[in-house]
Amino acid sequence: MNNFTFYNPVKILFGKGQIAALATEVPANASVLMAYGGGSIKKNGVYEQVMAALKGYEVVEFGGIEANPRYETLMRAVDLAKQEQVDYILAVGGGSVIDGVKFIAAAIPFEGGDPWKICSEKVPVTKAIPFGAVLTLPATGSEMNSGSVITREETRQKLSFGSPLTFPKFSILDPETTFSLPLRQLSNGVVDAFTHVLEQYLTYPVNAPLQDRLAESILITLKEEGPKALQNPTDYDTAANIMWCATMALNGVIRVGVPTDWATHMIGHELTALHGIDHARTLAIVLPSLLRYKRDTKREKLLQYGERVWGIRQGSEDERIEATVQATVDFFESLGIRTRLKDYEVDKSTIQQIVKRFEERGVKNLGERADIQVPDVEQILTMSL
């Protein structure tokens, strides 16, 4: 097992009725910026619960944060927050809203010019406004980590940042808030969480059996519970299990002491930036081809994954690896998520565009072994056609 330092200060309040706890979690006398997305919280009762819990607080609302939060939108929130002199932020929504709030929290006190430098130049975050979250869409794990991914529409870039200062102070996870989600979003959430686990698990062995078993337990639970959620979206136990799986998939626990990959995410971000394809669907496109392309360097873990998660034990090693990748593809497809670029009307011209963007940015050394270069990205995407 590799050396590691683990830090996660996020307080989790899980279960039905927990939104009422906002009254004790948000500091007394705070001036609160409440940020949310397209307005679904005003249709499903979440907005009313939040406002009831915040009765007596000074609350400034900012809605309209996109599914891939845009820098341009978030900067309007920054301007509003400064104008209203807010000192606390509450994210109410899915991972995109929470990601957006992390950027807002870091951008408000930023003194280095354009806050986009936090993403584009990796300028360290030295100050951030405190914030909490009410999660309404399980997928990204942003409710219990410090990372964020932001899109800049002007340049069609989708870039990430993270800081110890951008952990939520608390996150409320009430499974009932997911009951009204469209099936598309439920499917996306399951695939997003599933791929988050694989990016930390399908690398190479370092004798970390606990981390492996924890990762496998999340994968198996998602495999079992995902289809149930599509059949009965209002089943509380199913919703609770998926919500907690998505949080555990990316709160840092399963990545400690082990190598991680993230090449699938890096490549997938470009498909979202260029074509607006749902994040989870870009992962479902890229991951199978990347696993096939890197089958030799990931061999041991692919075989382990196939046996422990999918029960694949028959055939040669190569046959078992292919069966394992195909089982993953079949799972994604069973959730209504297509796994080829052609399914999204994306052709070779986009591949060349991504290659050019990576070359211009100097992107290289992706993957757990830092052995995925730009020509490899081109091959992986070509295999995804």
Side-chain angles (χ1 to χ4, degrees):
M1 190 188 309
N2 300 332
N3 291 1
F4 66 86
T5 298
F6 178 69
Y7 172 72
N8 192 315
V10 183
K11 180 178 181 179
I12 297 293
L13 297 89
F14 191 100
K16 62 182 69 177
Q18 291 279 31
I19 292 176
L22 283 171
T24 55
E25 295 301 323
V26 177
N29 301 317
S31 176
V32 181
L33 176 72
M34 185 176 78
Y36 52 91
S40 62
I41 64 168
K42 293 187 176 181
K43 301 175 184 177
N44 60 15
V46 172
Y47 177 85
E48 288 77 8
Q49 292 182 65
V50 170
M51 294 305 292
L54 293 179
K55 185 177 180 180
Y57 286 86
E58 180 182 344
V59 178
V60 178
E61 295 184 33
F62 184 86
I65 296 178
E66 302 86 358
N68 292 290
R70 295 179 182 176
Y71 162 83
E72 292 83 356
T73 302
L74 302 177
M75 286 305 296
R76 292 201 301 272
V78 170
D79 291 341
L80 177 63
K82 289 181 177 179
Q83 176 184 326
E84 299 293 334
Q85 297 183 321
V86 303
D87 52 25
Y88 204 90
I89 311 175
L90 181 66
V92 184
S96 292
V97 172
I98 301 172
D99 275 17
V101 163
K102 290 175 183 177
F103 182 80
I104 295 167
I108 290 172
F110 187 71
E111 298 176 345
D114 186 351
W116 181 245
K117 293 178 182 178
I118 295 170
C119 299
S120 63
E121 299 178 16
K122 305 302 179 186
V123 175
V125 175
T126 58
K127 299 177 184 177
I129 301 297
F131 66 96
V134 176
L135 181 69
T136 62
L137 172 58
T140 69
S142 191
E143 66 276 4
M144 201 178 176
N145 65 46
S146 62
S148 172
V149 182
I150 306 300
T151 297
R152 186 159 188 170
E153 185 69 12
E154 178 187 2
T155 56
R156 300 174 81 185
Q157 291 175 291
K158 185 173 181 179
L159 302 177
S160 63
F161 81 96
S163 165
L165 298 176
T166 52
F167 280 103
K169 297 299 181 184
F170 67 87
S171 287
I172 293 174
L173 282 62
D174 181 346
E176 291 187 334
T177 63
T178 70
F179 286 178
S180 61
L181 288 173
L183 295 184
R184 180 188 184 94
Q185 291 185 337
L186 287 175
S187 294
N188 282 350
V190 172
V191 170
D192 197 3
F194 199 89
T195 308
H196 285 159
V197 178
L198 292 183
E199 290 265 55
Q200 300 165 90
Y201 169 72
L202 282 182
T203 55
Y204 56 85
V206 290
N207 195 15
L210 177 59
Q211 290 91 320
D212 281 358
R213 293 294 189 186
L214 288 171
E216 290 155 4
S217 70
I218 299 171
L219 294 170
I220 292 169
T221 305
L222 288 170
K223 180 185 76 168
E224 294 173 349
E225 299 296 312
K228 294 180 186 177
L230 298 187
Q231 294 169 6
N232 187 1
T234 60
D235 180 78
Y236 180 85
D237 289 333
T238 298
N241 287 327
I242 290 176
M243 182 171 266
W244 190 231
C245 277
T247 300
M248 289 294 294
L250 204 58
N251 64 4
V253 171
I254 65 172
R255 71 173 296 161
V256 296
V258 301
T260 59
D261 186 343
W262 304 114
T264 292
H265 274 70
M266 291 290 290
I267 300 169
H269 286 335
E270 297 302 311
L271 294 172
T272 299
L274 293 171
H275 291 281
I277 302 172
D278 297 358
H279 171 62
R281 291 165 194 256
T282 70
L283 304 180
I285 293 167
V286 176
L287 178 68
S289 296
L290 186 142
L291 295 181
R292 288 180 170 119
Y293 189 76
K294 303 300 295 183
R295 62 194 298 153
D296 290 333
T297 56
K298 294 178 180 287
R299 179 170 293 268
E300 290 178 84
K301 294 300 286 288
L302 276 167
L303 291 167
Q304 178 178 305
Y305 166 55
E307 179 176 350
R308 294 185 180 180
V309 175
W310 297 108
I312 296 170
R313 299 178 177 86
Q314 302 298 318
S316 67
E317 287 190 353
D318 284 344
E319 289 171 341
R320 281 182 280 154
I321 288 172
E322 176 55 32
T324 297
V325 176
Q326 190 57 49
T328 307
V329 170
D330 292 344
F331 175 58
F332 293 165
E333 296 270 355
S334 75
L335 297 173
I337 294 187
R338 307 304 296 272
T339 57
R340 310 293 299 191
L341 286 171
K342 65 182 180 181
D343 297 323
Y344 302 87
E345 300 181 352
V346 176
D347 58 24
K348 292 181 180 179
S349 63
T350 292
I351 297 175
Q352 294 308 312
Q353 199 172 359
I354 292 173
V355 166
K356 182 179 179 181
R357 288 161 69 94
F358 275 14
E359 288 175 340
E360 290 174 346
R361 278 189 232 140
V363 175
K364 58 183 179 180
N365 303 331
L366 302 180
E368 70 272 15
R369 298 179 187 271
D371 59 355
I372 297 178
Q373 311 300 330
V374 174
D376 300 302
V377 171
E378 183 175 8
Q379 290 297 315
I380 290 165
L381 284 170
T382 300
M383 290 170 63
S384 302
L385 286 169

